[in-house]
Structures are given as C-alpha cells and as structure tokens.
C-alpha cells in the first residue's frame, strides 16, 4: 500500500509499505508550526487554542480557511503521514471591507 510522508519542510514523499503504520500521535501543521496530541481531537484542541491566542481566528473553520493546515499521523519511527489538509483561501468579496 502507498502512503504519503511529509517532512519538516512540507516536502511530500510517497512510500510503499506492506503493513500499515501504527499511529501513536497526531499533529496539525499550520504555517510551519506543529501542534500535537495523542488523539486527533486533542491535537485539534491544542492547535485551535494556540493559534487563536496569536491570531484573530477563533475556531477550526476560520483557521483552515485563512491559514491552511495539514493533518498528519505519527508512527513510532517519527514519520509523519499526510492525512488531510487545506491551503489558505480568500479573501472573498465582502470580507474585511464592511460590505455584505
């Protein structure tokens, strides 16, 4: 089965494995910063709390839309397997200029 790895520089590599990797943790990567946890939900909570403290974005949807993210699972060897992600989008008409 093929898996996509992501490194610390956001480079992607496809590898072939005969057995699925054992997930031991999760990380959200937002603009090069990593926010991790033992579960996906825990990693999301850490990411939202820390990003919200530094930016005007207060929830996952705002962060995903305006900053983008990668969700990765981690295995015992320290490999990060790309699971999902989103590139920053916008601006959209009517945002930030007071119009509707």
């Amino acid at each position: 089965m093929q898996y996509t790895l992501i490194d610390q520089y956001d480079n992607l590599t496809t590898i072939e494995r005969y057995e699925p990797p054992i997930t031991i943790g999760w990380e959200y990567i937002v603009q090069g910063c990593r926010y991790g946890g033992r579960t996906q939900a825990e990693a999301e909570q850490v990411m939202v709390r820390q990003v919200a403290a530094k930016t005007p974005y207060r929830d996952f949807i705002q962060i995903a839309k305006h900053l983008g993210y990668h969700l990765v699972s981690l295995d015992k060897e320290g490999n990060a397997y790309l699971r999902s992600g989103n590139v920053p989008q916008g601006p959209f008409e009517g945002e930030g200029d007071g119009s509707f």
Side-chain angles (χ1 to χ4, degrees), residues 3 5 8 11-12 17 24 33 37 40 42-43 51-52 55 58-63 69-70 73 75-76 78-79 90:
Y3 296 89
L5 298 176
Q8 69 268 27
N11 297 316
L12 302 177
R17 288 185 63 137
I24 62 165
C33 296
Q40 184 178 344
E42 185 179 303
V51 172
T55 69
R58 297 292 173 243
D59 63 25
F60 179 80
I61 299 298
Q62 290 180 335
I63 293 165
Y69 75 94
H70 299 301
S73 60
D75 70 4
K76 292 179 184 178
N79 296 317

Side-chain angles (χ1 to χ4, degrees), residues 39-65:
T39 66
Q40 184 178 344
E42 185 179 303
E44 182 178 327
Q45 290 172 352
V46 169
M47 182 266 294
V48 169
R49 185 176 50 239
Q50 292 186 12
V51 172
K54 301 177 207 170
T55 69
Y57 310 117
R58 297 292 173 243
D59 63 25
F60 179 80
I61 299 298
Q62 290 180 335
I63 293 165
K65 178 179 170 186

